[in-house]
Amino acid sequence: RVGLVHGHVCPATIFLSTDGVRLLGLGVFAWEPDDLSDPRRLAALPSHIPANFFSPEMAAGKPTDPRSDLFSLGAVMFLCVTGTLPFDAPTRQGVVERLRSDAPAPDLTAARPPTAISPAFYRIVAKALSFKPEQRYESAAAMLAVLEALPPP
């Protein structure tokens, strides 16, 4: 609601409790737009910050906005549904190169064919994983509204 960018949305920063979901670690990862343009800068990041959840704009060293966090959330959702990372490589640099390539995210239905999971949910994840920020949800509130409108399984 206030336009903050978390910059480090990943499974380790999402906390589920009886009173809801909390995003931890805000401000732990100070993001500067050109940090990852130099592989030495990527190597200097703490090892607990996984590149697999970076947005393409983070990987390319471009400015981010809240839609960057929605991309990262889409990667977390992909992992939750399939058990695999949508963007993976043997090294962090390889992951960053994959994210810079503008190649589309893997097809969620190929990674895990629909069963009890709604095809509409798959479309939500695919939209969150759009490489172009303007093709993602405008805000977390907009994405949440679409998720809440899904019929129960």
Side-chain angles (χ1 to χ4, degrees), residues 11 14 53 72-86 106-126 128-129 143 147 150 153:
I14 299 171
F53 301 97
S72 301
L73 180 59
V76 171
M77 293 165 77
F78 187 101
L79 175 63
C80 289
V81 171
T82 67
T84 61
L85 294 163
D107 180 13
L108 185 57
T109 57
R112 173 145 187 217
T115 52
I117 298 171
S118 162
F121 179 81
Y122 282 36
R123 289 190 295 276
I124 292 168
V125 174
L129 289 174
M143 186 174 176
L147 284 165
L150 288 174

